[in-house]
Amino acid sequence: MKITRLSHQKVSLRRSIDTGTTEQRNVVQSIIQDIKENGDSALFSYTEKFDRVSLSELRVLESEISQAYKELSDELIGIIREAAANIRSFHQKQKRETWISYDEDGTMLGQKITALDSVGVYVPGGTAAYPSSVLMNVIPAQVAGVKRIVITTPPTKQGNLPAGVLVAANELGIKEIYKVGGAQAIAALAYGTETIPPVDKIIGPGNIYVALAKREVFGIVDIDMIAGPSEIVVLADDTAKANEIAADLLSQAEHDKLASSILVTPSMKLAEEVNAEVVKQLSTLPRKEIAEASIDIYGHIYVTENLSTAIATVNELAPEHLEVITEKPMDLLNEIKHAGAIFLGRYSSEPVGDYFAGPNHVLPTNGTARFSSPLNVDDFIKKSSIISYSEKAFYNNASKITKLARLEGLEAHARALEERLK
Amino acid sequence: MKITRLSHQKVSLRRSIDTGTTEQRNVVQSIIQDIKENGDSALFSYTEKFDRVSLSELRVLESEISQAYKELSDELIGIIREAAANIRSFHQKQKRETWISYDEDGTMLGQKITALDSVGVYVPGGTAAYPSSVLMNVIPAQVAGVKRIVITTPPTKQGNLPAGVLVAANELGIKEIYKVGGAQAIAALAYGTETIPPVDKIIGPGNIYVALAKREVFGIVDIDMIAGPSEIVVLADDTAKANEIAADLLSQAEHDKLASSILVTPSMKLAEEVNAEVVKQLSTLPRKEIAEASIDIYGHIYVTENLSTAIATVNELAPEHLEVITEKPMDLLNEIKHAGAIFLGRYSSEPVGDYFAGPNHVLPTNGTARFSSPLNVDDFIKKSSIISYSEKAFYNNASKITKLARLEGLEAHARALEERLK
């Protein structure tokens, strides 16, 4: 890994966002148009073209779910249930309630909280079809109270879906699962087809075509943030163990050649030890090729003047995952401004949060932790303002409001109040 | 207005979203590129081209603000202050706090709440440069704790800004105001120039070029929902007064020829009376031409079988503004699922909320109240998950987590935990 001594230079994780080539944008626009016009028949033909399988049904059958259970051990199913319970428990603590406040003059103001009616979860295909993604995307929506939750995911060439994904979905009670991927899945979720009724919000990661399609339908439906490559930043001091940090950096690097693994430390000794451990541990990893490419290009160790400048560097990076492995990690929490998830102490290794502890693993990437949050229950509710003005409040304030309306040249606004004064 | 008897047919407010022509998209992309490359000098030249004024400074001077105060009466300034206090009070009730929960095994999990560092508010020019927009966009960000809040707005041909906008901004303590409009303003806020440091989030409405630029920079910065034309739906029964409803419908219609004003009522008598009143009141409005075009094309009265089907129609419409003027409006609140702001009772005329009561007037349009909320304090904070696993929790759960990691084929994830078991 590159080791850089930082004194006052600024660092950034931000990479330019892939908004697609003109050709890719045109392809996505024409797919969306085709789905709007031709519905299911267009879905079948894109599935044949892109996923190389000719399906007779888009929707997953009960028999496929029973089959999936046979492929997983009872122990694993039990662990999936326990993880789901932990995730549910953490998200239940986020629930918010409608509130109304009462003024002395009889005015009532408030916020009414309502769950979205329907949500579509896109689960990518191939090696990225993770059961944990199903749990992390579906459970917050369920806790919010969303009634209809749909999963779409591309089928294999044999027309199947991964057993882990089907079991995780079934454990959560999700019955509406479609074998559709790509931009065509996003178009179907946004506009609906004969088989797939439209949803109000689409979440979940995908390739560039999926990301571009989400950008296109944003406004017709809501979408989540468009995810970039994954990152980890470890903030550590001399008390940390190099082998543990190296292993955590590699767990990020194995995701993707574009993933970024960074250590920020005031200790040159730790920096050098971690670097040596990364080389050693890398050699025996099954996904060595991916992890090595990631570490070579996007791996970095920054050695800072002291712990305080190390924290400043972390805030500049605004990482998706931040591990704080220092003598007193909890003491630093207040100074950390920008991070998707903050893992405190040596026992809070990132995979603990990826799978099991309860907080969401869908996190803001590419420095967007400056303004975005982990996926959470608020993403599946909306608020309506409540305004109930009393007669007294109205008579006390009507003339002020008409003056503001006339300052803005909106006479009909002023007259709407004056009709009530007649 | 068109009067339609509804029995079981569905209705919708949704209109297709204007995502621009290819030419418009290309113009926006080239403006953004130009600002990225040439900064301030490109800003000056676009301002000359589009706003037809040659500026010597982008930033508003103290002397311009003092001048603006001379143009407004003390009474009006006092009313602006009172409105600001009401808006601040309502938004303060939305504030959320960091929380941490403790498990028996020593695990700590939680959500850390942090304000965004910086926000840019786009205020459109011309007749739509409203002081109330400044209050409604800036105050929630201030309540959230955002330190740096910037306003950009296009200058007039004389190089000025409207006095009301400058006074409202100054009353809130906003010192960073730039005379820049259009796609170039959005690009400057997202990427920064010599004079304008970049921000983390851009909010506020604008024309098609502003909207397209916001779509382009989404991901580099956060944006708010892209607003469509404004709408009001009035849900009323026989107890409502036709002249008041007509006046409220017209207050919406005067905004924009594309605005939509709708009455939903089980009473044909009320429908006919409101229709007659709209014609009568329209004739003397200063913005008659705009209001008339809006009423003719997008105005509608739906007469339903009963109050319950009227509510179902309202939920299908998911209006931006909903007035409930019935015998017992509060009793219907629970049944209303989708609306940006709900105005209850005859004294809660929409302009009360537009200017003064306290809830935000930036609301989800075009049926997006199905999944979006009024602008609120949550739009200016982000959450970081906190995960602190205890030694005990780690040893109890590590082997389960490694099994989940291996189910997903992520060996380095499993080994990250096993390094700690050595």
Side-chain angles (χ1 to χ4, degrees), chain A residues 1 5 15 21 33 50 57 91 114 138 142 157 175 194 232 235 283 335 366 376 405:
Chain A
M1 294 177 83
R5 267 189 202 277
R15 310 183 210 162
T21 62
Q33 197 53 38
F50 296 127
E57 295 221 47
H91 287 81
T114 321
V138 168
Q142 289 185 321
K157 280 180 208 167
K175 298 293 176 199
E194 300 90 321
I232 189 171
L235 170 68
S283 64
E335 294 174 63
N366 204 27
N376 66 93

Short mmCIF file of all heavy atoms in Angstrom, two decimals, chain A residues 1 5 15 21 33 50 57 91 114 138 142 157 175 194 232 235 283 335 366 376 405:
data_model
loop_
_atom_site.label_atom_id
_atom_site.label_comp_id
_atom_site.label_asym_id
_atom_site.label_seq_id
_atom_site.Cartn_x
_atom_site.Cartn_y
_atom_site.Cartn_z
N MET A 1 0.85 -1.20 0.00
CA MET A 1 0.00 0.00 0.00
C MET A 1 0.88 1.24 0.00
O MET A 1 1.96 1.24 0.57
CB MET A 1 -0.88 0.01 1.26
CG MET A 1 -1.91 -1.12 1.29
SD MET A 1 -2.87 -1.13 2.84
CE MET A 1 -4.13 0.08 2.51
N ARG A 5 2.89 10.59 4.24
CA ARG A 5 2.86 11.44 5.43
C ARG A 5 2.04 12.69 5.11
O ARG A 5 2.37 13.43 4.18
CB ARG A 5 4.28 11.90 5.79
CG ARG A 5 4.97 11.03 6.78
CD ARG A 5 6.27 11.70 7.22
NE ARG A 5 7.20 10.72 7.76
CZ ARG A 5 7.14 10.28 9.02
NH1 ARG A 5 6.23 10.73 9.86
NH2 ARG A 5 8.01 9.39 9.44
N ARG A 15 -14.76 10.40 -6.16
CA ARG A 15 -14.36 10.16 -7.54
C ARG A 15 -15.51 10.68 -8.39
O ARG A 15 -16.62 10.84 -7.91
CB ARG A 15 -14.18 8.67 -7.78
CG ARG A 15 -13.29 8.07 -6.70
CD ARG A 15 -13.05 6.61 -6.95
NE ARG A 15 -12.84 5.92 -5.69
CZ ARG A 15 -12.95 4.62 -5.56
NH1 ARG A 15 -13.25 3.87 -6.59
NH2 ARG A 15 -12.76 4.06 -4.39
N THR A 21 -22.31 6.97 -20.72
CA THR A 21 -22.03 7.55 -22.03
C THR A 21 -23.36 7.92 -22.69
O THR A 21 -24.42 7.48 -22.24
CB THR A 21 -21.32 6.53 -22.92
OG1 THR A 21 -22.22 5.41 -23.09
CG2 THR A 21 -20.02 6.04 -22.28
N GLN A 33 -38.88 3.41 -22.55
CA GLN A 33 -39.99 3.68 -23.47
C GLN A 33 -40.67 2.37 -23.90
O GLN A 33 -41.89 2.28 -23.93
CB GLN A 33 -39.44 4.44 -24.69
CG GLN A 33 -40.49 5.13 -25.53
CD GLN A 33 -41.39 6.05 -24.70
OE1 GLN A 33 -40.94 6.73 -23.79
NE2 GLN A 33 -42.68 6.04 -25.00
N PHE A 50 -30.64 -10.05 -22.51
CA PHE A 50 -29.56 -9.69 -21.57
C PHE A 50 -29.21 -10.84 -20.60
O PHE A 50 -28.06 -11.01 -20.22
CB PHE A 50 -29.91 -8.45 -20.77
CG PHE A 50 -30.06 -7.20 -21.60
CD1 PHE A 50 -31.21 -6.41 -21.52
CD2 PHE A 50 -29.05 -6.81 -22.48
CE1 PHE A 50 -31.35 -5.26 -22.29
CE2 PHE A 50 -29.18 -5.67 -23.26
CZ PHE A 50 -30.34 -4.89 -23.17
N GLU A 57 -42.66 -17.47 -16.85
CA GLU A 57 -43.31 -16.65 -15.83
C GLU A 57 -42.30 -15.67 -15.24
O GLU A 57 -41.15 -16.04 -14.99
CB GLU A 57 -43.82 -17.52 -14.68
CG GLU A 57 -44.91 -18.47 -15.09
CD GLU A 57 -45.98 -18.53 -14.03
OE1 GLU A 57 -46.42 -17.45 -13.55
OE2 GLU A 57 -46.37 -19.65 -13.66
N HIS A 91 -33.95 -1.07 13.87
CA HIS A 91 -34.75 -0.14 13.06
C HIS A 91 -36.04 0.27 13.78
O HIS A 91 -36.54 1.37 13.55
CB HIS A 91 -35.00 -0.73 11.68
CG HIS A 91 -33.78 -0.72 10.81
ND1 HIS A 91 -32.79 -1.68 10.91
CD2 HIS A 91 -33.34 0.16 9.88
CE1 HIS A 91 -31.81 -1.39 10.07
NE2 HIS A 91 -32.11 -0.28 9.43
N THR A 114 -46.90 9.03 7.69
CA THR A 114 -47.58 7.96 6.96
C THR A 114 -46.53 7.13 6.23
O THR A 114 -45.60 7.68 5.66
CB THR A 114 -48.54 8.53 5.91
OG1 THR A 114 -49.20 9.68 6.43
CG2 THR A 114 -49.57 7.51 5.47
N VAL A 138 -35.21 -4.65 2.95
CA VAL A 138 -36.64 -4.90 3.18
C VAL A 138 -37.07 -4.51 4.60
O VAL A 138 -38.13 -3.90 4.79
CB VAL A 138 -36.97 -6.38 2.91
CG1 VAL A 138 -38.37 -6.74 3.41
CG2 VAL A 138 -36.83 -6.70 1.42
N GLN A 142 -40.44 -2.50 6.13
CA GLN A 142 -41.47 -3.19 6.92
C GLN A 142 -41.71 -2.48 8.24
O GLN A 142 -42.85 -2.29 8.65
CB GLN A 142 -41.06 -4.64 7.17
CG GLN A 142 -41.11 -5.50 5.90
CD GLN A 142 -40.81 -6.96 6.19
OE1 GLN A 142 -39.93 -7.26 7.00
NE2 GLN A 142 -41.50 -7.87 5.51
N LYS A 157 -28.81 -17.94 -16.06
CA LYS A 157 -29.07 -18.51 -17.40
C LYS A 157 -30.00 -19.72 -17.34
O LYS A 157 -30.61 -20.11 -18.33
CB LYS A 157 -27.75 -18.92 -18.07
CG LYS A 157 -27.03 -17.74 -18.69
CD LYS A 157 -25.73 -18.20 -19.33
CE LYS A 157 -24.72 -17.06 -19.33
NZ LYS A 157 -23.36 -17.50 -19.65
N LYS A 175 -43.68 -11.98 -0.70
CA LYS A 175 -44.26 -12.98 -1.59
C LYS A 175 -44.18 -12.56 -3.05
O LYS A 175 -44.42 -13.34 -3.95
CB LYS A 175 -45.75 -13.20 -1.23
CG LYS A 175 -45.97 -13.75 0.16
CD LYS A 175 -45.44 -15.18 0.29
CE LYS A 175 -45.58 -15.71 1.72
NZ LYS A 175 -44.69 -16.87 1.95
N GLU A 194 -48.40 -5.45 -17.09
CA GLU A 194 -49.57 -6.29 -16.81
C GLU A 194 -49.35 -7.10 -15.53
O GLU A 194 -50.27 -7.28 -14.73
CB GLU A 194 -49.84 -7.27 -17.96
CG GLU A 194 -50.13 -6.60 -19.29
CD GLU A 194 -48.87 -6.36 -20.13
OE1 GLU A 194 -47.82 -6.00 -19.53
OE2 GLU A 194 -48.94 -6.51 -21.35
N ILE A 232 -13.70 1.68 3.08
CA ILE A 232 -13.49 1.64 4.53
C ILE A 232 -12.33 2.58 4.87
O ILE A 232 -11.36 2.67 4.12
CB ILE A 232 -13.19 0.22 5.05
CG1 ILE A 232 -13.20 0.21 6.59
CG2 ILE A 232 -11.85 -0.29 4.53
CD1 ILE A 232 -13.13 -1.19 7.18
N LEU A 235 -9.36 4.40 11.44
CA LEU A 235 -8.63 5.40 12.22
C LEU A 235 -8.04 4.67 13.42
O LEU A 235 -8.79 4.11 14.24
CB LEU A 235 -9.61 6.48 12.68
CG LEU A 235 -9.12 7.51 13.70
CD1 LEU A 235 -8.07 8.43 13.10
CD2 LEU A 235 -10.30 8.35 14.21
N SER A 283 -2.01 -12.94 0.18
CA SER A 283 -1.50 -14.05 -0.65
C SER A 283 -2.39 -15.28 -0.59
O SER A 283 -2.41 -16.08 -1.53
CB SER A 283 -0.08 -14.40 -0.22
OG SER A 283 -0.11 -14.87 1.12
N GLU A 335 -16.25 14.09 17.85
CA GLU A 335 -15.49 14.85 16.84
C GLU A 335 -15.69 14.34 15.42
O GLU A 335 -15.26 14.97 14.46
CB GLU A 335 -14.00 14.81 17.19
CG GLU A 335 -13.69 15.56 18.49
CD GLU A 335 -12.24 15.37 18.89
OE1 GLU A 335 -11.36 15.80 18.14
OE2 GLU A 335 -12.01 14.76 19.96
N ASN A 366 -18.64 7.19 -1.55
CA ASN A 366 -18.03 8.24 -2.40
C ASN A 366 -18.07 9.63 -1.76
O ASN A 366 -18.23 10.62 -2.44
CB ASN A 366 -18.80 8.26 -3.75
CG ASN A 366 -17.95 8.84 -4.88
OD1 ASN A 366 -16.72 8.76 -4.84
ND2 ASN A 366 -18.60 9.43 -5.86
N ASN A 376 -32.65 3.90 6.28
CA ASN A 376 -33.30 3.88 7.60
C ASN A 376 -34.80 4.04 7.44
O ASN A 376 -35.30 4.25 6.33
CB ASN A 376 -32.68 4.96 8.50
CG ASN A 376 -32.95 6.37 8.03
OD1 ASN A 376 -33.92 6.99 8.45
ND2 ASN A 376 -32.13 6.89 7.12
N ALA A 405 -48.87 38.80 1.21
CA ALA A 405 -49.31 38.35 -0.13
C ALA A 405 -49.18 39.49 -1.14
O ALA A 405 -48.71 39.30 -2.25
CB ALA A 405 -50.75 37.84 -0.06
#
